[in-house]
Amino acid sequence: MTRARMPRPHEVAIARRDPRLLEAIQERRTDEAWRTRGACRSVDPETFFPAPNEPSESAVALCGTCAVQGPCLAWALQVGDCHGVWGGTTPRERRAMLVAWRERVTPDGSAVDDGPDEEDRRLLTLIPLSR
């Protein structure tokens, strides 16, 4: 069995810009019945849980054709599942995405309010100094 490691800072930086993560954040609550329409329903589940020394490209490729890739990845990130292929991502990719996910989504699934507040607007407004 392999031991999962913490993602490196550059891996997290890449994950923050990953379009799959951005889609998952947007679609995290839009499709509660995503499992009923997944492309994986007709495939052996072992395909999505390869042994550590086995390739996962076939599962990732199948996920790439799936219409519910975003909600699937959102679910895996919400529950913190770092085993198998979910939403077209490998466990290693998801560990880095999980760090970025937790910066953007609260534990209950709500979006983090990272927009500018009144104090930010006040500080960022340029007011000319009168002489």
Side-chain angles (χ1 to χ4, degrees), residues 76-97:
L77 293 170
Q78 186 67 42
V79 299
D81 193 334
C82 286
H83 300 285
V85 175
W86 292 92
T89 61
T90 63
R92 183 176 186 163
E93 292 171 317
R94 261 191 331 283
R95 280 191 295 275
M97 286 181 177

Side-chain angles (χ1 to χ4, degrees), residues 30-43 45 49 66-81 83 85-87:
T30 60
D31 190 2
E32 298 294 330
W34 61 269
R35 288 179 190 250
T36 63
R37 293 186 314 283
C40 56
R41 288 185 48 94
S42 61
V43 179
F49 296 93
C66 187
V68 294
Q69 184 176 359
C72 176
L73 177 56
W75 178 85
L77 293 170
Q78 186 67 42
V79 299
D81 193 334
H83 300 285
V85 175
W86 292 92

Side-chain angles (χ1 to χ4, degrees), residues 2 9 16 28 31 34 36 42 61 63-64 80 101 106 114 124-125:
T2 61
R16 285 186 183 113
R28 70 187 176 284
D31 190 2
W34 61 269
T36 63
S42 61
C63 288
W101 173 270
T106 61
D114 59 357
L124 294 174
T125 302

Side-chain angles (χ1 to χ4, degrees), residues 50-74:
N53 58 348
E54 293 178 0
S56 59
E57 287 84 16
S58 62
V60 171
L62 180 64
C63 288
T65 67
C66 187
V68 294
Q69 184 176 359
C72 176
L73 177 56

